[in-house]
Structure formats: structure tokens, C-alpha cells
Amino acid sequence: MKTLEIIRTEVANNYTSTAIASMVIGATYQTDGEEQTITAGEGQTLVLVVDGVQENLVPGASYEVKEGFEIVAISIYKAGGPSAAPWSGAKEEEKVSYYFRQALLVKDGKIVDDCSIPQLIHGGSFDAAKADGITLTSNAPHFNGIILDEGTKYEIKNAKLYAKGDGSDDLSGWAAVVMADNKSVVDISDSYIETEGCIRCGLYVDNTAVVTVKDSVLYSQETPDTYDEFHGLVPAMMKRVPFALGMEGTVRTLNVMADGQGIFKDSIVVSTGWGALSCDSGTAYDICGTYCLDCDGVLSGIGTLEVAQEGKEYTTVKEVNGVKYGFTVGGSGYVTYADSGVHNRYKNVEFYSPDYIQIMGSGRSGSEYIDSYLYAEHNAFMTQQSAGGTYELTNTKVDTVDALLQIKSGAANTGFSNIIVDNCEINFSGTSTRSKDGILVELVESDDAGNPGITTYTINDHAEEAEATLSSVTECYATLKNGEYAGDIYNCIYNYRQELNVAVENAVLTGAISSSTAIHVDLEGNVVPNGTVLNAFLGSKEYDHVRYNAEQGGQNGDCLIIGRYCHTAAPMLNNPINVTLKDAKWNATGDGYLQNLTIDAMSDITADSAVTITVKSLTVGGKAYEDGSYNEGNVTIVVDSTAIEVVDNGICDAGQTYGNVAYTFYGQMEDGTLNSKAFEVKRQNYIDGKLYYSIIPAEGCSIVSTSSEGGEISKNTAGGELAIYENVIAPADGAKAMSVTAIVKGC
């Protein structure tokens, strides 16, 4: 045995920790008192292999060598950047490129020898078409295991793949254990993939690649970094979950991008914190025509996983490839995610989370759950900045604590989505500080803290200041079918007008339904005052760790207040609810305020104690009822059609950019009259901090001119997914808000 010491290195770029580790072009090392230097050739980078394992090639590192070591120069096949997220604060000249390094690169069905390190692959066999029975270990950051590119068809079987150390950018696959890209087709079976480190995916799929995972286990554990190591890590993107989502965590086990596809069968996918089955910045189902995630017989969750020990209790146990694994729910995060209009299908799955089962964002994303069991200790589902996506639950059991579905919309980020629940069992258990009966569906003012770089949010609940407005967001739908359902339904939107349509079909609903006001409450149910600042957990310097769930110095629960609203039924302003009962019964448990109520008979609504339901319109058996009070048992329905006086504020659209700059679009007639119905805005926030948009005039209207404040408008010349937008507005330096005013005529 001998000692290897790394004395110094030369790097192509030293602005960031990722570059220092991955862009080594020269190294001086010492063994047995002898100092030597190795230099990479042009277009190459260096990788350290010690006893068949990839290790960190950085100054000061020291290794006890049992069998041998080698510093290998490999060609740079794939490089990212130069790039940095707009919230990272990097100067333009410091936006670093990064080099991919990997143990095996197969391109177009051929091994790229000068980009591969076969010394890292042990046991079994491998060639350009398959790897069977191999073991691969990486103990250092920013290193990929196997990259399959350019239409490669490949099989990974009976493999054991391990990666310990931080990743670099899980939106580009940098440091993923297995990466499938550019129309590659990959089958993974009877295999085990484990990671430990920040943003280090077990599997990454991109650009029309399809990966099928059968009888396999993917397990990702969060970073073992010290406080200084974590804060010193400067990746290109995303080293922690966005605070806006109301959770903590630093790793996603899976990420499917663009029009890639992940197919999972009879497998386990677990992360200790953030996300397990994730897809991000995908291509809409309407375009690609395939499910982004298609899962059957899968156990997935946020928590810990181990080979099951006899006599030890677990949340659940599942056998894969002849091994019985025990899973224990814990930590923080979501099981699965969908955005950008992708669709996912989950059949016969078991999902467990301390926070959310699934979050859907941006675009008309959708997800189907069939014959499944879902367990969440907060809200089962949440949508944010969505544009019409639907959750469909069929023959599925859900155990949750606070809510089945939370739809976020309003001033910070408009959004609308839907849910269909058919022949399902929805249970509320545990202790909720939000509702004693549980919330089936709630449409709430978004408390989105902003882009992933924002780590604080200031509570600002102000429904009492709201005024009736014509500025509107597309309506949402909730359908409950073929079952007995218990829980409340609320709409507390107040900055815009947004309707929630509730249909109960061949079912029984027990609960309150009402327009409401809502305020944030803490984990004990106490009101969180306006002005209270919530902070993400960024590590404990005192205890030298970044583990948010550590017993000492861990997070204080601020993230869990995000989205934690308590409702009070209140007269409708901008938050109408329309309720339709068809061959259904409603057992009302509290007073309610509705816009429209349509029922087959007055006897369809019952109550165990006296309740009053105030509506703008009532239709019973096809007959419209006049203003007045109508009684049936303990139920009083008051019809009051008095119109709400509305002043048009001219706001056609609003939101905030990735750079956390608020934007507003105003419609104004030539005579100066404000008109919030003058046009629609099709838009996309992009990671460059700009807003790409097109203005679509209402029928009969035309745009005379546009002007802006706080930002500069230009014609859009970007390609790709941004090409469909006509204009782009870039915030002025230091701007916190910007606006576009369009002068219209003909409306």
C-alpha cells in the first residue's frame, strides 16, 4: 500500500467549485516521495482512478492506494454553458462552461474510446450494445457514469452503479449515473443505482430518448456536505429545491427533460429529499404525443430505503429482483412532478411523501392515477402557474392530512387546473391545523416566493383590501364521481376574478363549499401575521451541516408554512363557486356562499344542523328560482342576485419573471378608458430572466401601439420553444417591476 497525494492542479476555469473539480488540465502528485506532473492534451481533461474507483482530483486530496492508481486524460465530448441561472449572481465573464466526464460513452451504437474509462467498470461484461453484471463506482463530484447518446440502443442488466459526491446541473444531466440523450433507447433491468450528493440524479433522460426501467432500484440520498462545502458548491443550476414549493431537499433521483420518456415497471424509486420521479421543462403531450412518465407497479417516495431487516417496522416493504426492501417515509419533498404540458400515467403505484404526492406547474400538464395508493402528510396534490392541466384519479385510495388538491393562482402567478375523482377513497387523517374536516379542493392566492434562487417569502394576506375586478383568470373544474367523499371546498382568490366549478355526479359529498377568505397559519394553527418573513434552511454553520432535518440546527419549519392556509366562509367578491349536483347528495356541514347552485331537487342538500347557503342563482330540476329564502329541513338557501359593482383596472395579465421582477399588462382604449378584456397574453418566463410574449387582441379589437415601463421591449429572435412568441421584454437594471401598456381600438 502506498499514499497518493495531489499537490496542485491546473484548471481551465477556476471561477466555480464545479469547474475546479471537472476542468483539470494538469496535475502534480506525489507517491513514495516522488513528485510527478501530468498534463492533458488539447481538448482533454483529467480523471483520477484509484483502485478502480473514480476519485476527486483536487489539491490536498490524499488516498491510500491498495492496488494502483491512474490519472487518465479523456477527450471532452460534451460541454455545457457558458451559462448560469439569472438568480445566481454570476458575472457575465464568470459564467462557466463545464466538461462532462464519464466512465462509458456510447454514441450512435459505438463506444467512444477516447471519452471512456473502462478501468472504472468491473465484473460482468460490456460492449457497445449492453452492460451485464457490471459494477461502477464514482466517489467524486461532477462525474457521469454511463452516457448513451445519438440514437444508441443499449441494455443495462444486473448492474450495480454507485455515485457519491455532488452533482452539477440536473437540468442538463451533468453527473447523472445513467444519462440517455438524443433519441437513444435504453433498457435497465434487475439493477441497483444509488447516489449520495447534492443534485446528483440516478437517471437523466432528454431529447426524445426513452428509458425503460424494470425490476430495479434507484435510490438517491442528499448531500453529505459540511456547511462550507455546500455553500462553496457553485453549480450551473439548481442545488436545492425552490423555496416557493414549500419543502426542503437537494436531490432528484430522476429527471426527464424535453420530450424524453421514462417507463418504470415493478421498480423502486426513492429520494431522501426533494424529488423522486421528476420531469422538468418537458415537451407538451400535445406536441410529442407520449407520456413523459409511465409507471406501473412502482413504489416511490421521499424517505429512506434499505434491505429489509427482520423484525424492523417500515412504512412499506417491496421485493425487487429477489431482494426485499424496507421504505420509511420522511424528510421533505414531492414524489413526482410535471410541467410544461407533459402528461404522466401512474397505474398500480404506491407513493409516499411527507409533503406532496405531486406538483404540476407551467403549461397544460396532466396526470392519471389508476388503481393506486397515495399517502401524503400535507397536501396530496398542488398546481402552480398551471394552464389547464388535469389530475385524474380512478379506483385510487388517498390518505392525506390537509388537502387533496391545492390550486395556486392570483396576483403572484396566475394559474388554473382541474381534478376528476372517480370511484376513489379519500381519507383525511392525522392532525391538520388548516381544517378539522380536510380540504378536498381549494383555489388559493399563490404565495409563490419566486424563482429558485429566492430563499425568503414575506406573508402578505390582504383579502380585506380587495376590490371587485373584471381582470380574470380562466376557471377551474373539480368533479367528484361515483363514491362517497368528505371534505371542504373553497375559493379564496381575490386579486383577480376566477371561478371554481364543482360537479358532484352519482356521489355523496359531506362538507362545506364556499367562497372564502384565507390566512396563513403555522404548524400549531396560529395565525402568521403579515410582514412575517419565512426563510429557507441554507445550512447550519454552528453545527457544520446542511441537513435540514437534523436534530440540532435543522430547519425551523418556515418552508412548511408556504401554502398553509386556513379558510373562513365569506361572501363572494372575485371568487365565485358554481356547484352542480347530478344524481348526487350534498350533506352541508357549514354555511356557504356560492354563485350558481344547480340541483335535481331541494332534498338533495341536507345538514345535521342548521346551515345557510347564499347563492346568486338557484336552479332546481331545471327551474330557476327568484330572489328569496327557501327552506328544506336544516338547510336554508338564500337567493340574492344583486350584482356586485365592478371597476375595470385594465389589467389583462400579470405575474413575475424568473428574476423575480413583477410584470403587468394593461389594456387601454384610445380615449384612455381601461379595458382588461382588450387582449390575452401568451407568455413564457425564461431562465434568462426575460419574458417572452405575444398579445392576442380580443375579437373586434386591434392594437394601436405598445409602450413599457421598467423594461425594454424588442422583437423576439430566439429559436426553439421560444420562437412562437412575437416579443420579449427585458427588465431594466435594478427594476423590481415592469409593465406593458397596449393601446387598443375597435373593442
Side-chain angles (χ1 to χ4, degrees):
M1 183 179 293
K2 57 185 175 182
T3 301
L4 167 66
E5 297 178 274
I6 309 302
I7 307 301
R8 55 185 172 271
T9 61
E10 180 184 357
V11 296
N13 183 311
N14 63 358
Y15 291 129
T16 68
S17 60
T18 50
I20 291 170
S22 66
M23 303 174 71
V24 181
I25 56 177
T28 299
Y29 61 93
Q30 178 177 281
T31 56
D32 298 329
E34 183 180 352
E35 190 173 295
Q36 298 185 54
T37 297
I38 183 171
T39 303
E42 186 173 353
Q44 292 184 320
T45 187
L46 299 178
V47 176
L48 173 62
V49 180
V50 178
D51 295 332
V53 174
Q54 186 256 340
E55 299 285 2
N56 208 5
L57 185 57
V58 293
S62 178
Y63 304 97
E64 295 299 317
V65 181
K66 296 179 181 179
E67 298 177 3
F69 74 92
E70 186 176 359
I71 298 178
V72 183
I74 63 171
S75 297
I76 301 162
Y77 168 70
K78 185 187 288 288
S83 64
W87 55 84
S88 69
K91 299 176 182 178
E92 190 64 35
E93 65 272 16
E94 295 181 0
K95 291 185 177 181
V96 62
S97 294
Y98 43 90
Y99 296 169
F100 279 69
R101 307 162 303 148
Q102 57 283 318
L104 178 64
L105 171 62
V106 185
K107 174 186 177 184
D108 192 22
K110 301 178 182 63
I111 294 177
V112 184
D113 292 322
D114 65 340
C115 295
S116 300
I117 309 173
Q119 300 94 313
L120 292 171
I121 302 174
H122 306 281
S125 62
F126 72 96
D127 55 26
K130 65 180 181 302
D132 190 350
I134 69 167
T135 298
L136 190 159
T137 303
S138 166
N139 279 342
H142 325 309
F143 188 82
N144 288 80
I146 300 174
I147 295 181
L148 307 159
D149 205 359
E150 297 295 345
T152 291
K153 293 184 178 180
Y154 206 81
E155 181 181 5
I156 299 173
K157 186 176 182 180
N158 296 314
K160 294 182 179 179
L161 311 176
Y162 303 92
K164 183 176 182 179
D166 290 329
S168 319
D169 182 351
D170 69 355
L171 292 177
S172 69
W174 192 12
V177 179
V178 177
M179 176 176 175
D181 205 358
N182 295 314
K183 300 184 179 179
S184 294
V185 178
V186 181
D187 290 332
I188 301 174
S189 63
D190 306 323
S191 294
Y192 183 87
I193 300 174
E194 180 178 312
T195 73
E196 185 178 1
C198 176
I199 55 172
R200 194 159 192 174
C201 293
L203 174 62
Y204 176 88
V205 188
D206 202 353
N207 296 318
T208 322
V210 178
V211 178
T212 301
V213 179
K214 294 181 180 178
D215 300 307
S216 296
V217 175
L218 281 72
Y219 180 35
S220 291
Q221 300 166 86
E222 292 165 287
T223 175
D225 289 350
T226 65
Y227 178 87
D228 286 340
E229 286 171 340
F230 182 72
H231 282 268
L233 175 65
V234 186
M237 286 282 286
M238 307 291 280
K239 74 174 180 179
R240 65 179 311 280
V241 65
F243 183 59
L245 297 183
M247 62 186 71
E248 298 289 356
T250 61
V251 65
R252 289 185 278 189
T253 305
L254 167 77
N255 207 4
V256 179
M257 301 283 292
D259 49 357
Q261 187 177 18
I263 302 170
F264 291 80
K265 175 74 172 176
D266 299 327
S267 295
I268 298 175
V269 183
V270 170
S271 169
T272 61
W274 184 352
L277 291 161
S278 187
C279 40
D280 199 333
S281 303
T283 298
Y285 180 86
D286 294 348
I287 298 173
C288 65
T290 59
Y291 290 108
C292 180
L293 295 177
D294 198 347
C295 302
D296 190 350
V298 172
L299 164 63
S300 187
I302 304 298
T304 57
L305 187 72
E306 65 181 17
V307 175
Q309 300 178 34
E310 193 70 31
K312 186 174 181 179
E313 291 188 6
Y314 299 96
T315 301
T316 191
V317 174
K318 182 178 178 66
E319 185 173 317
V320 172
N321 196 21
V323 179
K324 189 175 291 186
Y325 293 90
F327 167 78
T328 304
V329 66
S332 181
Y334 59 70
V335 180
T336 187
Y337 184 87
D339 72 352
S340 306
V342 306
H343 281 210
N344 296 334
R345 178 170 60 187
Y346 311 93
K347 184 177 181 180
N348 191 31
V349 301
E350 288 185 59
F351 286 176
Y352 298 84
S353 173
D355 294 312
Y356 304 94
I357 292 298
Q358 182 174 356
I359 293 175
M360 291 198 308
S362 67
R364 195 162 62 90
S365 304
S367 286
E368 306 169 32
Y369 289 85
I370 305 165
D371 301 328
S372 295
Y373 175 71
L374 313 173
Y375 172 91
E377 295 177 354
H378 183 25
N379 301 331
F381 302 106
M382 186 261 277
T383 66
Q384 185 180 52
Q385 304 181 43
S386 53
T390 300
Y391 285 112
E392 296 182 59
L393 280 62
T394 306
N395 301 326
T396 290
K397 180 179 178 180
V398 180
D399 283 323
T400 186
V401 174
D402 288 321
L404 176 64
L405 172 63
Q406 180 178 79
I407 307 170
K408 290 189 175 183
S409 186
N413 281 294
T414 59
F416 58 99
S417 56
N418 316 301
I419 188 169
I420 301 171
V421 182
D422 188 354
N423 193 33
C424 294
E425 180 183 340
I426 312 299
N427 301 313
F428 295 95
S429 58
T431 301
S432 174
T433 61
R434 300 183 53 209
S435 169
K436 65 181 179 65
D437 298 320
I439 299 168
L440 286 167
V441 180
E442 58 180 344
L443 178 55
V444 303
E445 284 284 332
S446 177
D447 53 0
D448 186 335
N451 67 57
I454 300 299
T455 55
T456 64
Y457 175 76
T458 302
I459 298 294
N460 183 25
D461 300 326
H462 55 274
E464 70 282 354
E465 301 173 7
E467 298 180 352
T469 178
L470 293 175
S471 299
S472 63
V473 181
T474 304
E475 58 199 352
C476 301
Y477 292 84
T479 302
L480 305 173
K481 302 165 55 174
N482 303 318
E484 295 187 7
Y485 303 100
D488 302 331
I489 300 175
Y490 294 113
N491 181 357
C492 68
I493 292 295
Y494 53 85
N495 284 296
Y496 290 85
R497 178 181 173 86
Q498 187 169 19
E499 299 187 7
L500 174 60
N501 300 302
V502 178
V504 185
E505 302 175 5
N506 190 35
V508 177
L509 171 63
T510 299
I513 310 176
S514 184
S515 300
S516 69
T517 58
I519 53 176
H520 284 84
V521 294
D522 63 20
L523 302 183
E524 284 72 46
N526 301 312
V527 174
V528 183
N530 283 341
T532 301
V533 178
L534 308 181
N535 295 283
F537 177 71
L538 300 178
S540 170
K541 188 172 185 179
E542 179 183 359
Y543 295 103
D544 192 27
H545 63 64
V546 294
R547 298 185 303 280
Y548 57 87
N549 58 352
E551 292 183 4
Q552 292 182 312
Q555 60 108 341
N556 56 13
D558 278 9
C559 67
L560 301 179
I561 298 175
I562 298 288
R564 192 172 292 273
Y565 291 98
C566 185
H567 295 267
T568 301
M572 180 187 78
L573 185 66
N574 297 321
N575 50 346
I577 296 185
N578 304 310
V579 176
T580 300
L581 305 183
K582 182 64 176 177
D583 299 323
K585 302 293 183 180
W586 173 20
N587 180 29
T589 60
D591 294 344
Y593 297 87
L594 309 177
Q595 178 171 253
N596 302 318
L597 176 61
T598 302
I599 55 181
D600 295 329
M602 291 291 289
S603 59
D604 289 345
I605 305 179
T606 60
D608 294 337
S609 57
V611 299
T612 299
I613 301 170
T614 303
V615 301
K616 290 296 180 184
S617 73
L618 172 65
T619 302
V620 182
K623 176 186 175 182
Y625 278 51
E626 296 180 351
D627 283 13
S629 182
Y630 304 91
N631 296 92
E632 179 79 19
N634 285 328
V635 178
T636 299
I637 301 178
V638 176
V639 182
D640 180 0
S641 62
T642 304
I644 298 173
E645 184 177 350
V646 182
V647 176
D648 197 336
N649 59 12
I651 299 176
C652 297
D653 194 27
Q656 59 188 5
T657 69
Y658 269 118
N660 216 40
V661 176
Y663 58 80
T664 307
F665 287 83
Y666 292 97
Q668 181 177 315
M669 306 304 294
E670 289 182 294
D671 64 1
T673 304
L674 296 174
N675 185 349
S676 62
K677 303 296 183 182
F679 57 82
E680 294 182 357
V681 181
K682 301 295 183 183
R683 54 177 165 79
Q684 182 169 340
N685 296 320
Y686 202 62
I687 60 173
D688 60 6
K690 301 175 184 178
L691 178 70
Y692 294 77
Y693 71 92
S694 295
I695 292 178
I696 298 93
E699 185 175 355
C701 297
S702 61
I703 305 299
V704 176
S705 63
T706 59
S707 60
S708 64
E709 292 185 7
E712 183 177 352
I713 299 173
S714 61
K715 288 293 182 182
N716 176 31
T717 59
E721 63 179 328
L722 299 175
I724 63 174
Y725 301 99
E726 182 179 358
N727 301 302
V728 58
I729 183 168
D733 289 342
K736 297 296 184 182
M738 59 183 179
S739 65
V740 175
T741 299
I743 306 299
V744 298
K745 66 178 181 179
C747 296

